[in-house]
């Protein structure tokens, strides 16, 4: 468990066992996820929605992503850490994409970067791979450009749209991506892509046939209450537990039950008397 997972390890898992991946944006959750033996941790731009209270992932930039990625890599001993390239870092500024990808590796100690599909995706991915930075692709529902693909909807639902996804997947593999996120894709299309590729597919809302699965950790822990997509399974409702604990604290402070003796420092009576 102490050995750090490499890109080669991830490639070798295809067809042998399912790959696990979760998001993390800070030290405590990254540490718990790593101790649970999850294979890959994504410092996702979903930090915008689930931590920063923003309404779009396009609203986080390199400054925020590097800050969060550093906190994650400080905690992780085992998992492969993937830094999610924010919108401005490669879609708004394609010429800056290699420099920004390098910042994830050199400044934040990530092991790889992830890029969502967009018009110039192939050119940008090629440059990043040429710079020897391990790259993970992301096709299907790409939240950074949701406005250009009909909104937050399942993608590849007819033969023509599905064919485009298959072609994107093959092109990204050819360029040297080491894995591919498939988001909100019909399960049978994810199965076709998974069978066609030698690199592993990691699904989110893409069914059981992918080589691995990723979820936003705050969704599975019940820590994000604004909306819950169909593909999310909430394993625990931490929001309810946290709310209850905070209300209990408030009540105990008001009722002078906290701090009790066990949480209080004391001074000897004789020392106190010297002050009188
Ligand atoms: O930012 C993110 O959390 C992601 C996952 C949904 C794959 O890109």
């Amino acid at each position: 468990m102490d050995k750090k997972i490499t890109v080669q390890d991830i490639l070798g898992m295809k067809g042998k066992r399912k790959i696990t991946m979760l998001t993390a944006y800070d030290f405590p959750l990254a540490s718990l996820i790593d101790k649970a033996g999850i294979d890959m941790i994504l410092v996702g731009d979903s930090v915008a929605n689930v931590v920063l209270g923003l309404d779009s992932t396009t609203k986080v930039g390199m400054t925020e992503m590097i800050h969060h990625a550093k906190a994650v890599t400080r905690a992780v001993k085992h998992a492969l850490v993937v830094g999610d390239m924010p919108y401005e870092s490669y879609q708004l500024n394609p010429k800056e994409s290699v420099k920004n990808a390098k910042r994830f590796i050199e400044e934040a100690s990530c092991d790889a970067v992830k890029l969502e599909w967009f018009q110039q995706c192939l050119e940008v991915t090629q440059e990043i791979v040429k710079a020897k930075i391990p790259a993970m692709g992301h096709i299907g529902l790409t939240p950074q450009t949701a406005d250009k693909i009909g909104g937050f909807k399942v993608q590849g639902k007819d033969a023509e749209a599905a064919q485009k996804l298959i072609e994107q997947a093959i092109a990204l593999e050819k360029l040297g991506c080491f894995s591919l996120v498939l988001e909100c894709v019909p399960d049978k299309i994810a199965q076709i892509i998974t069978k066609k590729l030698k690199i592993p597919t990691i699904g989110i809302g893409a069914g059981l046939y992918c080589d691995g699965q990723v979820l936003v950790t705050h969704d599975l822990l019940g820590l994000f209450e604004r909306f819950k997509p169909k593909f999310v399974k909430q394993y625990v409702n931490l929001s309810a537990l946290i709310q209850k604990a905070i209300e209990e604290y408030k009540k105990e402070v008001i009722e002078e039950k906290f701090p009790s003796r066990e949480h209080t420092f004391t001074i000897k009576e004789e020392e106190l008397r010297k002050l009188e």
Side-chain angles (χ1 to χ4, degrees), residues 15-32:
K16 297 209 178 81
R17 73 148 169 87
K18 295 285 182 179
I19 299 164
T20 55
M21 183 176 193
L22 283 174
T23 60
Y25 323 105
D26 60 32
F27 188 97
L29 270 181
S31 183
L32 291 171

Side-chain angles (χ1 to χ4, degrees), residues 192-262:
I192 293 172
I193 293 173
T194 301
K195 277 192 180 158
K196 280 189 184 290
L197 300 188
K198 289 193 182 70
I199 58 170
T201 57
I202 310 294
I204 174 161
L208 201 56
Y209 304 117
C210 295
D211 296 305
Q213 297 292 327
V214 58
L215 273 183
V216 171
T217 302
H218 286 61
D219 287 337
L220 90 83
L221 296 180
L223 272 176
F224 181 62
E225 294 179 305
R226 261 198 288 165
F227 58 86
K228 183 174 164 291
K230 172 181 160 76
F231 57 76
V232 166
K233 179 169 177 187
Q234 190 181 295
Y235 285 80
V236 61
N237 186 353
L238 281 191
S239 291
L241 294 177
I242 292 170
Q243 191 75 52
K244 191 165 168 283
I246 293 168
E247 283 164 12
E248 213 171 307
Y249 162 77
K250 178 188 162 192
K251 187 167 175 283
E252 289 200 354
V253 169
I254 288 171
E255 291 176 357
E256 295 181 22
K257 287 188 178 145
F258 177 83
S260 62
R261 292 304 285 171
E262 84 178 286

Side-chain angles (χ1 to χ4, degrees), residues 154-168:
V154 178
Q155 302 293 307
K157 281 187 83 168
D158 58 47
E160 194 187 338
Q163 184 58 34
K164 275 194 191 142
L165 289 181
I166 295 167
E167 284 163 15
Q168 289 171 3

Side-chain angles (χ1 to χ4, degrees), residues 105-135:
I105 310 293
E106 288 168 10
E107 260 180 67
S109 307
C110 288
D111 304 299
V113 296
K114 176 171 84 59
L115 299 86
E116 292 183 12
W117 182 268
F118 74 114
Q119 230 187 353
Q120 286 168 271
C121 187
L122 296 180
E123 296 100 285
V124 167
T125 305
Q126 187 167 37
E127 291 308 308
I128 289 174
V129 172
K130 251 206 295 188
K132 299 205 174 354
I133 298 167

